[in-house]
Amino acid sequence: MSAKDAAIKVVEAMPDDATLEGIEDALRELFGVPEPDGVWATPVDHAKEAVLDVIRSLPDETTPDVIRCEVDRLHDGEALTDEEWEAEWGEEIERRIADHEAGRTVGVPWEDVMRRLREKFG
């Protein structure tokens, strides 16, 4: 199952009145990522529908990080241009590479990721 399909399945299973924060928490749990710093900037009405619209609009091969980034944009209401998005992700990728090379992060083998998804979603 792709990250996109797994995210859709998680969000669809949530109550219709789910908050954006609750949906983000569920996606963080799904993808095994830490809590972000900061607070929610703007509440989103009909968060479940908004998140599903965002996720469904993404390519099938979308990674968990991209899904989280796109959902995060719902918080602040900002829409980035393609060039801005690529620049921000370029900086993020460089930071992550530096962290990995410096030994500040530990990768998760793909087999473990897929096993966790299968255990959770069948």
Side-chain angles (χ1 to χ4, degrees), residues 1-71:
M1 176 182 305
S2 71
K4 176 182 174 178
D5 290 338
I8 288 171
K9 190 171 184 175
V10 165
V11 175
E12 284 180 338
M14 298 192 75
D16 289 338
D17 62 348
T19 64
L20 187 54
E21 184 174 9
I23 293 169
E24 268 287 302
D25 288 344
L27 292 175
R28 269 195 299 282
E29 182 180 331
L30 168 67
F31 298 133
V33 295
E35 288 278 334
D37 294 332
V39 297
W40 303 99
T42 306
V44 174
D45 291 333
H46 308 291
K48 180 177 177 179
E49 292 86 6
V51 171
L52 285 171
D53 287 346
V54 167
I55 295 171
R56 288 180 177 136
S57 72
L58 300 172
D60 289 341
E61 64 277 2
T62 301
T63 65
D65 287 332
V66 173
I67 291 170
R68 285 184 24 253
C69 178
E70 291 298 305
V71 172

